Amino acid sequence: MMRPNGLARAVVRFKPVSFAGTFLALLMSALIVSACGVLLETSLRASVPPQRYAGAPVIVAADQYEYVVTGSGEDLEREAVPLPDTARLDAALTAKAETATGAAMAVADYTFPVRTAGRSVPGGVLTGHGWGSHRFTSTTLATGAAPGAGEVVLSRGAAHAVRAASGESVQLETAAGRQQFRVSGIADIAGAAGAGEAVAWFADTQAATLGGHPGKADAIAVLATPGTDAAELARSVTEVLAGTGVLVHAGDDRGAVEDPGLGYAKDMLFGIGGSFGGIATIVAIFTAAATVALSVSQRAREFALLRAIGATPRQIRRAVAAEALLIAPLAGIAGLLPGLGLAHWWFGQLQDRGAIPAAVQLHVSALPLLAAVAVGLLTALAAGWTAGRGPARMKPGQALAEASAERLRPGRIRTAVGLAALAGGIVLAGVSARSAGSDAAGAALGVVMLFMFAMALLGPTVARLGASLFGLPLRGAGPAAGLAVANSRTNARRLASAITPIVLAMAFASTLVFMHTSEINAADEQRRAGVTADHVITDPAGLPANAATDAIRMPGVTAAVAMVNTQVLVPIGTGEFKSLQGATVQGVTGSSAQLARVQDLDVRQGSLDRLGSDQIAIDITLATAADRNVGDRLPLFLPDGTEASPQIIAVYGRGLGLSTMTMDRSTLAGHVTSSFDSVLLVRGGSAESLATLGEVTDAAGYATAQIDEARLGAWTNNTMAALLGGFAAIAAVNTLVMMVLGRRRELHTLRLVGSTRRQVLAMLRWESLLVSVAGIILGSGIAALTLIPMMQGTTGQAPYVPPLTYGLFALAAVGLALLAVTLPARAVLRHRP
């Protein structure tokens, strides 16, 4: 039995409580690490099989990313940021691509929305293409002929929807305006899915203009001569187009060109699996290590006795390592299956919500699974070695003395590192206050991590102070409460082990959930105050091009402003801290006087009077983040990646609820895929007369609809909060159960000296109440220190904390602590001491 392996097996056999608690902690660690690892791997390997481009072996397209370059030489790094809209290439490159060796033909491809009269087509919009694309999409004419100028070929689904046949005329609206087109033919699209598609093909000479991008093509499809390998053709096309800045795609890479949502999906998955996964992994390691350390420390008396009967320090260390080798792999393997289940569920939910293209598949390999098991094993070994180092190196007599009483003075190194982490959290909170958008959110999570690290290191000191402070009201609550306070003060390390997971759960859940509620609340207040129009008109297919002109002619209408909503990328920071921040944009039609009648942006500096093609207005948070003011020029990338540097003419305060940037609609012309406006704001008139333009609501109804849409986006944040908070809550319950079961001797001693079973249970309930209240207050304090500066930086307001949600968090913490203490205590006290 003195052999390390024998000692480890004996612990597992005769100390099942320590084994079970450690096993559960390591299992949960493997679960969350494997789930995040699978999502991270999927983000790196995700692809979309080509569908429309399946018949073209090589696709040429513009780069759909903008890059942030930091460092130099070997430290050079390029961070890719997806463009908000499609970047297009020069259509003249089609002829050049056709000269590549092995190329049979090159076809410029165009894709753009086309509105129909009324709502005959589901969604009110057709998909427009150039007729040349029929060469690689297996589209064939059923009747009629190819389209010429002023003509269109309709798919069977589109022809049925608009009730038009070959030779008849149909009214369509494109970026070139509303006009009549003669139906030159009806086409069949190959495949079962193509039968109902609503598609319109136009002459290639007109397609670019009708799409709103003269001289530009979405992509170029290169067809191969018989016997030419796709890889060889791709190399040849790459050589021919070298220096033009375009990218050549073959294989599954063609699907990324076809489905631009893949870039955003990969970014989202990388954020969940990488950024959030990294934090979740740290939390998992942190809680698992704390549980392992608690398990080892609870056996300090046993280790001291082993030292007294002749066990060497090396044998003690090896015994602890052997325990880790016995428990960690089994726990890790047991956590893989639920981890895979979590990854599949999370991925499926994102697909159902449209965040990930349906064609993307979850990638599962052995790498993240092995990593999850290895992380648990290394965590158990490191935590066990650290916790067992003290008992192993002490002299036998000293070990027995140390085991009989808790060490009161914390280590100097531990205290110094804890204070450094606390100072780092305070500094990073200041950085968060000066940041905006995703940078502020990223800094906020860093603040939480640093404060939690400080709490873990300074836990015993904080616990002792907390027991003294929070125990004051309990001193008059009877003997059981007084004994609970005395126990808590005397056993500060034990108290810290119980408080820390509750702090962790409260801090992370509060930060992630209330960060989003604060943004939603601030945006809603700004939107309700900012939209002063009587009517708001929207249409999922986009509004007609002349919607504002038609509205202003209606009786009683005094102002009508149409807007297109999109995004631009704005460079923020300098040096190693550069980033590209997405900024929402509203491109407005009409004069600034008309805009002032339907929208109050809360202008703080400057004036909107000169709003034009080279002048913009921006929100104050963006002005602060970009360090720009009225009169300065703001470098930015338009939705398709085109560089611009307009002059700032005004700074306003309601960007979160309305749009971060306001510019003239003409500035965005040719830089967005859809030429149709997103929303029309109208002052005066009646809802009945305006209903011909789209769906009409008032300002309050529009604001409510925007809140509902934002709440759908809060799902990911709430899911992450549930995962981290739930994991920490399970860790808290696990820790409390282990602590109660590890106190059998103490509880039986209390019974022997005359305490009744009811008195002992009352003492434990008061202890759990003290632990949970201290954890709630400390966790809430960490969340407040994180959220207050971040919300000041992003919204200019204090955080919004829904009382009911916060109350549920606090109630859950108290309830779980009471259950975790009472149930195992009842089991222990069933037996006579």
Side-chain angles (χ1 to χ4, degrees), residues 40 267-282 445 720:
L40 176 60
D267 262 23
M268 173 176 285
L269 287 172
F270 187 84
I272 295 173
S275 302
F276 170 74
I279 293 172
T281 300
I282 293 172
L445 290 176
M720 291 190 292

Side-chain angles (χ1 to χ4, degrees), residues 366-435:
L367 185 61
L369 307 183
L370 290 174
V373 176
V375 165
L377 178 59
L378 293 174
T379 299
L381 285 171
W385 180 83
T386 303
R389 190 165 55 103
R393 67 183 180 183
M394 288 182 184
K395 295 178 180 180
Q398 184 184 2
L400 287 169
E402 289 282 346
S404 63
E406 181 179 288
R407 182 183 176 187
L408 298 178
R409 183 177 297 175
R412 294 180 181 178
I413 297 177
R414 177 173 180 162
T415 302
V417 176
L419 291 173
L422 182 64
I426 295 171
V427 171
L428 196 56
V431 173
S432 176
R434 296 189 297 272
S435 303

Side-chain angles (χ1 to χ4, degrees), residues 746-827:
E746 175 189 336
L747 300 181
H748 288 163
T749 301
L750 287 172
R751 294 282 285 116
L752 286 171
V753 297
S755 298
T756 65
R757 186 168 177 268
R758 184 176 180 181
Q759 287 174 325
V760 174
L761 286 174
M763 178 201 73
L764 290 173
R765 290 193 190 99
W766 281 116
E767 280 188 21
S768 70
L769 184 63
L770 179 62
V771 165
S772 56
V773 169
I776 290 168
I777 293 175
L778 289 170
S780 301
I782 290 174
L785 289 172
T786 304
L787 287 171
I788 290 173
M790 185 185 72
M791 288 299 110
Q792 287 293 331
T794 55
T795 69
Q797 300 179 9
Y800 172 68
V801 179
L804 179 60
T805 306
Y806 181 81
L808 288 174
F809 286 174
L811 186 62
V814 173
L816 284 174
L818 282 171
L819 285 174
V821 168
T822 303
L823 294 180
R826 286 182 180 276

Side-chain angles (χ1 to χ4, degrees), residues 29-369:
S29 170
L31 185 156
I32 200 165
V33 172
S34 60
C36 292
V38 168
L39 294 178
L40 176 60
E41 182 185 20
T42 301
S43 76
L44 299 175
R45 299 176 56 187
S47 63
V48 176
Q51 297 179 14
R52 187 164 173 272
Y53 287 150
V58 172
I59 297 294
V60 182
D63 193 351
Q64 302 302 313
Y65 290 84
E66 192 53 58
Y67 299 89
V68 179
V69 181
T70 56
S72 59
E74 294 182 355
D75 297 327
L76 183 69
E77 293 184 6
R78 298 176 78 225
E79 179 187 355
V81 181
L83 293 172
D85 210 310
T86 302
R88 294 171 174 81
L89 45 72
D90 188 352
L93 293 175
T94 306
K96 194 172 184 180
E98 197 167 329
T99 64
T101 304
M105 179 182 297
V107 181
D109 187 38
Y110 311 90
T111 302
F112 51 92
V114 179
R115 280 184 57 89
T116 60
R119 298 177 182 272
S120 54
V121 177
V125 64
L126 303 173
T127 300
H129 296 299
W131 175 245
S133 63
H134 81 280
R135 295 185 176 89
F136 58 84
T137 55
S138 301
T139 300
T140 57
L141 281 169
T143 62
E151 293 181 331
V152 63
V153 169
L154 298 177
S155 66
R156 287 188 185 273
H160 177 75
V162 300
R163 295 181 175 84
S166 293
E168 297 180 352
S169 292
V170 61
Q171 187 181 69
L172 301 174
E173 186 175 341
T174 66
R178 196 178 300 167
Q179 64 186 94
Q180 294 285 335
F181 289 89
R182 176 182 173 275
V183 180
S184 68
I186 306 297
D188 288 327
I189 304 174
E197 285 189 28
V199 183
W201 291 270
F202 301 88
D204 288 331
T205 54
Q206 285 188 301
T209 302
L210 296 176
H213 310 96
K216 299 284 186 180
D218 287 24
I220 298 172
V222 184
L223 308 183
T225 57
T228 302
D229 180 70
E232 293 177 2
L233 178 59
R235 284 192 293 269
S236 178
V237 173
T238 301
E239 292 174 2
V240 168
L241 298 179
T244 60
V246 298
L247 300 179
V248 179
H249 305 268
D252 281 352
D253 285 348
R254 295 169 295 168
V257 180
E258 185 177 331
D259 193 339
L262 178 62
Y264 286 99
K266 293 179 75 168
D267 262 23
M268 173 176 285
L269 287 172
F270 187 84
I272 295 173
S275 302
F276 170 74
I279 293 172
T281 300
I282 293 172
V283 172
I285 292 172
F286 175 79
T287 52
T291 306
V292 173
L294 176 62
S295 174
V296 174
S297 65
Q298 283 184 327
R299 288 177 282 126
R301 185 185 301 273
E302 285 82 354
F303 287 132
L305 288 172
L306 287 171
R307 290 284 288 120
I309 63 174
T312 65
R314 184 168 179 268
Q315 285 176 318
I316 298 295
R317 289 193 297 268
R318 287 186 61 191
V320 172
E323 288 177 29
L325 291 172
L326 283 174
I327 298 172
L330 294 175
I333 293 170
L336 295 183
L337 187 59
L340 289 174
L342 175 60
H344 276 279
W345 174 83
W346 202 342
F347 186 82
Q349 290 293 311
L350 291 171
Q351 279 191 324
D352 292 344
R353 286 165 170 77
I356 298 175
V360 178
Q361 295 183 347
L362 190 70
H363 286 276
V364 180
S365 72
L367 185 61
L369 307 183

Side-chain angles (χ1 to χ4, degrees), residues 544-561:
N546 300 322
T549 304
D550 294 343
I552 202 71
R553 293 172 181 166
M554 293 182 180
V557 174
T558 58
V561 176

Side-chain angles (χ1 to χ4, degrees), residues 282-671:
I282 293 172
V283 172
I285 292 172
F286 175 79
T287 52
T291 306
V292 173
L294 176 62
S295 174
V296 174
S297 65
Q298 283 184 327
R299 288 177 282 126
R301 185 185 301 273
E302 285 82 354
F303 287 132
L305 288 172
L306 287 171
R307 290 284 288 120
I309 63 174
T312 65
R314 184 168 179 268
Q315 285 176 318
I316 298 295
R317 289 193 297 268
R318 287 186 61 191
V320 172
E323 288 177 29
L325 291 172
L326 283 174
I327 298 172
L330 294 175
I333 293 170
L336 295 183
L337 187 59
L340 289 174
L342 175 60
H344 276 279
W345 174 83
W346 202 342
F347 186 82
Q349 290 293 311
L350 291 171
Q351 279 191 324
D352 292 344
R353 286 165 170 77
I356 298 175
V360 178
Q361 295 183 347
L362 190 70
H363 286 276
V364 180
S365 72
L367 185 61
L369 307 183
L370 290 174
V373 176
V375 165
L377 178 59
L378 293 174
T379 299
L381 285 171
W385 180 83
T386 303
R389 190 165 55 103
R393 67 183 180 183
M394 288 182 184
K395 295 178 180 180
Q398 184 184 2
L400 287 169
E402 289 282 346
S404 63
E406 181 179 288
R407 182 183 176 187
L408 298 178
R409 183 177 297 175
R412 294 180 181 178
I413 297 177
R414 177 173 180 162
T415 302
V417 176
L419 291 173
L422 182 64
I426 295 171
V427 171
L428 196 56
V431 173
S432 176
R434 296 189 297 272
S435 303
S438 58
D439 292 339
L445 290 176
V447 173
V448 177
M449 293 302 299
L450 284 171
F451 280 141
M452 283 307 309
F453 189 50
M455 172 65 197
L457 294 173
L458 303 176
T461 303
V462 173
R464 192 172 289 110
L465 292 174
S468 300
L469 179 62
F470 303 137
L472 289 176
L474 299 182
R475 291 183 177 178
L483 185 57
V485 174
N487 256 332
S488 299
R489 290 185 63 189
T490 305
N491 297 283
R493 287 181 181 275
R494 184 175 70 193
L495 182 66
S497 298
I499 290 176
T500 301
I502 298 176
V503 174
L504 186 71
M506 200 71 189
F508 272 112
S510 298
T511 299
L512 289 169
V513 172
F514 299 142
M515 176 172 65
H516 209 80
T517 59
S518 300
E519 290 177 349
I520 289 176
N521 183 68
D524 183 53
E525 288 181 358
Q526 292 183 14
R527 194 177 295 114
R528 292 182 186 277
V531 178
T532 58
D534 297 319
H535 308 287
V536 181
I537 304 171
T538 57
D539 192 324
L543 296 168
N546 300 322
T549 304
D550 294 343
I552 202 71
R553 293 172 181 166
M554 293 182 180
V557 174
T558 58
V561 176
M563 300 179 176
V564 62
N565 294 323
T566 183
Q567 281 194 343
V568 297
L569 298 178
V570 182
I572 301 294
T574 58
E576 296 298 322
F577 301 99
K578 286 193 297 185
S579 65
L580 278 176
Q581 179 178 308
T584 57
V585 177
Q586 56 181 17
V588 301
T589 59
S591 65
S592 57
Q594 290 254 321
L595 178 62
R597 292 181 62 83
V598 297
Q599 199 177 71
D600 181 6
L601 289 167
D602 184 24
V603 176
R604 308 281 181 87
Q605 301 173 29
S607 171
L608 296 173
D609 292 341
R610 294 188 296 114
L611 193 68
S613 60
D614 193 41
Q615 287 83 31
I616 62 170
I618 64 174
D619 179 63
I620 190 168
T621 57
L622 178 60
T624 302
D627 194 22
R628 293 292 191 277
N629 214 323
V630 173
D632 295 337
R633 293 202 169 264
L634 179 67
L636 55 85
F637 296 95
L638 294 173
D640 64 349
T642 302
E643 292 188 54
S645 185
Q647 185 182 37
I648 301 170
I649 60 166
V651 174
Y652 54 86
R654 292 192 175 125
L656 185 63
L658 301 175
S659 275
T660 310
M661 189 179 297
T662 301
M663 61 174 58
D664 186 72
R665 176 68 174 83
S666 61
T667 304
L668 296 171
H671 301 289

